Every structure is written in C-alpha cells, then in structure tokens.
Amino acid sequence: MRKTQRFPFRKIFSPPHKLSLTKSRPFKVYSFVPFSPLAMFDPTILTIGGIVLGIAIIERILERWGVIDLVDQFAKVMRFILPVTFYSALVYFFATFIF
C-alpha cells in the first residue's frame, strides 16, 4: 500500500503580507440622518406626489385658457386636499419605514 502524504494548511497557501508599521486608531462615526434619502422613492409616495403635481399643472393650464371659475373651484379643493395628502403621506412614510 502507498503511504499518503499530508501537508499542513499553512504550507499550502502563501503566508500573509506583513502588517503595516502604523496602527490605525478606531474612531466613532455618528450620523445625523437617521434614514436613507433613497427610502423616499416609495411607489405609494411617488404616486401621491404625481397626482398632486398633475392637478397643479392642470390648474395652471386652465388658468392660461382663461377658465377662472374652474380654477377657483380647484383652488378651494386643493386648499383642503394638499395638507391632508401631505400629512397622510408623512404618516404612511414613517409607519412603513423600518429604522
């Protein structure tokens, strides 16, 4: 029978590189932003924002066409809808965002 030859693990792989002479000092890092700004690309938030932006653009177009009565009606409705939409989206964002 043949005798099997064994190699130690360290002998198979090359030795690690020498460590640098300067030793890095650990330091604490603090973040003043508790969440990532990329988290605002939530499809629900973007849809709500797109609808509100679309209504504002339609209001401006109607104003250019001279349909002031309809623009006044839009303004009255938007005076109520905009704050409600904003605070609802804000509550939704913080309710679904995982810290």
Side-chain angles (χ1 to χ4, degrees):
M1 282 186 75
R2 275 178 125 174
K3 193 173 186 184
T4 56
Q5 204 174 20
R6 294 187 182 186
F7 293 102
F9 182 77
R10 289 193 178 110
K11 197 173 188 181
I12 296 172
F13 294 103
S14 63
H17 298 331
K18 292 183 180 180
L19 298 174
S20 64
L21 296 175
T22 59
K23 187 176 180 182
S24 62
R25 286 181 255 149
F27 58 94
K28 294 181 180 179
V29 177
Y30 298 99
S31 174
F32 295 107
V33 180
F35 56 89
S36 169
L38 296 177
M40 297 206 188
F41 289 121
D42 184 30
T44 307
I45 302 280
L46 291 176
T47 303
I48 292 171
I51 291 170
V52 171
L53 186 65
I55 291 172
I57 290 172
I58 289 171
E59 186 179 347
R60 293 294 174 195
I61 290 171
L62 289 175
E63 187 178 1
R64 276 194 194 160
W65 288 351
V67 191
I68 302 300
D69 295 334
L70 198 54
V71 172
D72 287 339
Q73 293 298 323
F74 264 103
K76 286 179 186 175
V77 171
M78 292 304 284
R79 214 173 279 148
F80 172 74
I81 289 180
L82 280 176
V84 170
T85 306
F86 172 75
Y87 289 116
S88 301
L90 195 65
V91 167
Y92 171 80
F93 175 72
F94 284 115
T96 59
F97 183 70
I98 300 170
F99 288 98

